[in-house]
Amino acid sequence: MSSMSGPLDEIRFLTDAMFDGQINASQLQRLEGLIVNNPACLQAYLEVVNLHGALIRQADHQTDEQTVMTVLQEFSDACERREIRNRRREIMIMAASVLVACGFCGWLFLGEAFRPAPLGNITHLTNNVNLDSGQAELGQLLRQGATVSVAQGVLSIELGNVIVDLQGPAELKLDDIKQVQLLRGTLTARARPGGEGFTVRTPDAEVVDLGTEFLVRYHATTGTDVSVRRGRAKASLLDRAGQPTKMLELTATRAVHLDAFQATLAESPFEPEPFERIDRARGTIRSISGHLRTIGEPPASLVSEVTTTPNFMLVIPERQNVILSENLKMDTLTGPMVLPAGSTVSSYLVHYDPTSLARYAPRGAITFFGKISAVLVDGKTLTATDALFGLPGIVYEKHDFRGLELNADEIRLSDDKETVSLFFGMESPTYLDQMRILVLVPPAIKAAPVP
Amino acid sequence: MHIQFDIQDLRERENDSSRESEFLRGLAGAYDDIYISVLAIVCNRVDADDVIQEVCVILWQKFDEFEAGTNFRKWACAFAFNVAKAFVRKRRRRGGLGLSDQALVNISRLQTTGSELFELRREVLQECMAKLRGKDSRFLMTCYSSKSSLVEYARTTGMPITTVYTRLRRLRKQLMECINRTLGKEE
């Protein structure tokens, strides 16, 4: 630039550079400054541009008309190209839309197909159950890898031949149908024949069912406790790599404490109370469905309009494993019958007191581990058996209207006598409906403590 | 933007008095000025060729708004300036180089007011071109032809690109001095 005589030479140089595509940012800034601030430079700029324009026109060797026709031809071609481009774009947009739609459908259908298989389902909920997130529904499927986090109440899951009861607050992860991880809190597992080998893992321990009913409690600071109420289970202490280092086989009413941090495995006193909490919640109920809940804590009163149940029927496990000392004559759903002395039964009261707030008559079903021996639906019979089967501390309704009105209420027993289906209508002015179900205790669990 | 522009139809009607042929005649008469108006704003041959097509589209679309008997050149150059300015703004937004709006307005204003002078300079250029040596003239025409770029020219002739630029710069200067001398404009 030093060889230039002045701004006019400079602007010509810069204009040529710009025209040739050789200009850089600082040169453009200089060009800009000269054009804006110096009229002579602006004039020179346009003289150079006009020179370039004229040379271009001359180089094309065309008359104005020919040039125009060329431009218009190019323009026409450009229109056509643009039209093709637009059409292509429309096709691409349509194709993309179809792809997105297919992807979405694929996600819906294939996603469903590739979703982990369901391992089990929720078979029981107490009326006070709350999850840390989301909602739990009876019958809800739980898939491999699912985590269930119960803030309060008892939630039960059936995994093949094993029933797992999770006592809130607790968190469980389902690894597969034979293994779960207890991340915090307490669970009990009850295995039926075929459920052997079911495993509960915590960061401290691995507990393998050997045909039993056991409890596992885990807390990050205190370690893992394992108790066996019936049968046998194998409890192993795990190291930090999750490998077993010590093992103890537990038999009925024995317990062990495992602490991976301390690397200790030590027997501890058996505590029946956590099992009893489950008994109070579900007894020998295998599953419930429909508008049913069991009870977290027994109510103080079951008198009409005291413990109301606007949205579901309550199933209250009453006295369990009652051994009849004499023959018991009763009016039952199927007519008068006698339960012979020596029979062992567990009692369940179904309580439905919707008051006037209820919007619908609920339906549901209860399946037990044992055979249903009698269903008591008459108010007088219920009152007559309260003392024998009722829970101490509960005030029962004394009026006969507590019984079912069989014209409005429907009760059905399954052929195998393990399931009872319920439909309670709503009869004003008193809405209370109650019935008592007596279930023969399976021999396998007769030895369990009586609450 | 889509426009039905039947070029064959226009060719056939070149000499009739229809609206299309009126447009064609107006465009042909003002084409140099329109092109140079665009070139002055975008200051790049390739960009100018793109913009001029866009300008033609718009002029044709807006031709119904043109009042017969008024200055087509002025009307068309105003549109050309706006289209070219929009192009430069877009280029700037994409990180490319381009003059500021203020500079573009100054350029457009002077191009419009000085159009007669610039036209005269273009006429004088013909005389000055005739004074060039044949090989210089051919070199210039090759460089300014739309069919080749300077880089391609350098490659095909085996000439270093810097030599091409130097020679081109020298010839441009020679022509500019010739035009100024002819018009009595001494610096």
Side-chain angles (χ1 to χ4, degrees), chain A residues 27 117 150 299:
Chain A
Q27 287 174 323
V150 181

Side-chain angles (χ1 to χ4, degrees), chain A residues 255-324:
Chain A
V256 65
H257 178 77
L258 305 99
D259 188 333
F261 185 73
Q262 305 274 357
T264 56
L265 178 152
E267 282 213 52
S268 56
F270 175 79
E271 294 175 7
E273 205 284 327
F275 289 100
E276 290 167 1
R277 204 176 302 144
I278 296 297
D279 288 337
R280 285 197 294 272
R282 62 176 299 166
T284 56
I285 294 172
R286 178 175 162 186
S287 68
I288 55 176
S289 62
H291 303 113
L292 276 163
R293 294 288 185 276
T294 63
I295 195 109
E297 289 298 327
S301 173
L302 289 173
V303 171
S304 178
E305 296 186 17
V306 174
T307 302
T308 57
T309 58
N311 298 318
F312 45 76
M313 300 174 281
L314 272 182
V315 190
I316 303 163
E318 297 183 301
R319 293 191 66 194
Q320 304 286 295
N321 304 334
V322 177
I323 302 169
L324 299 180

Side-chain angles (χ1 to χ4, degrees), chain A residues 12 20 22 32 45-47 50 52 57-58 67-69 71-75 79 82-83, chain B residues 1-3 5 11 24 28 31-32 40 45 53-54 57 100 111 122 126 144 165 172 185 187:
Chain A
R12 285 174 190 141
D20 294 333
Q22 301 291 309
E32 165 95 26
Y45 172 84
L46 279 169
E47 285 172 2
N50 274 268
H52 292 312
R57 297 282 294 109
Q58 202 167 329
T67 303
V68 166
M69 292 313 293
V71 168
L72 290 177
Q73 182 66 58
E74 286 173 357
F75 158 51
C79 285
R82 189 175 301 169
E83 183 68 13
Chain B
M1 178 167 35
H2 174 59
I3 182 169
F5 198 101
R11 283 184 202 282
L24 191 59
Y31 188 80
D32 276 0
R45 169 87 191 258
Q53 282 189 12
E54 193 72 27
V57 174
S100 69
Q111 177 67 27
R122 292 199 295 270
Q126 306 303 319
Y144 279 92
Y165 278 121
R172 283 166 177 166
K185 186 184 175 186
E187 290 174 11

